Amino acid sequence: ADLKREISELSGLSLATGVILTQLLQKIASREMNPQGAATTIVTNARAAIEGFTSQAGSDPVMKARALEAVKQYEDQIRSVLPI
């Protein structure tokens, strides 16, 4: 029961963090001269950072895969409100 509650709390924290982060990134990208280009830069840099972080010995491949999947989800959410 304690573990289930902790997982629920972490899931709620993760959801709130994701929503706030997405809104911030959408606002930042929308203010750029080329919003789609700004979004591309953001996600490219995020992917590169994940690759760099997970290239260290002992890195969990499941964590890396989930992180890269999350970047794609953020990218889709960011681009959904940007002009083409």
Side-chain angles (χ1 to χ4, degrees):
D2 286 342
L3 181 58
K4 190 172 186 175
R5 189 188 88 256
E6 288 180 33
I7 290 171
S8 294
E9 288 178 6
L10 287 173
S11 294
L13 178 61
S14 178
L15 175 61
T17 302
V19 168
I20 291 169
L21 179 60
T22 299
Q23 290 176 349
L24 287 170
L25 292 173
Q26 287 170 338
K27 184 65 99 176
I28 290 167
S30 69
R31 291 183 176 173
E32 295 293 323
M33 292 293 288
N34 178 356
Q36 293 291 336
T40 298
T41 299
I42 290 167
V43 298
T44 299
N45 290 343
R47 286 186 184 110
I50 290 166
E51 291 291 344
F53 179 80
T54 58
S55 67
Q56 301 171 12
S59 176
D60 184 346
V62 173
M63 178 186 69
K64 176 182 178 180
R66 182 61 185 106
L68 291 171
E69 182 183 323
V71 170
K72 177 64 177 141
Q73 289 173 316
Y74 281 116
E75 178 180 18
D76 293 346
Q77 292 170 355
I78 293 165
R79 290 186 189 279
S80 72
V81 300
L82 297 179
I84 295 175

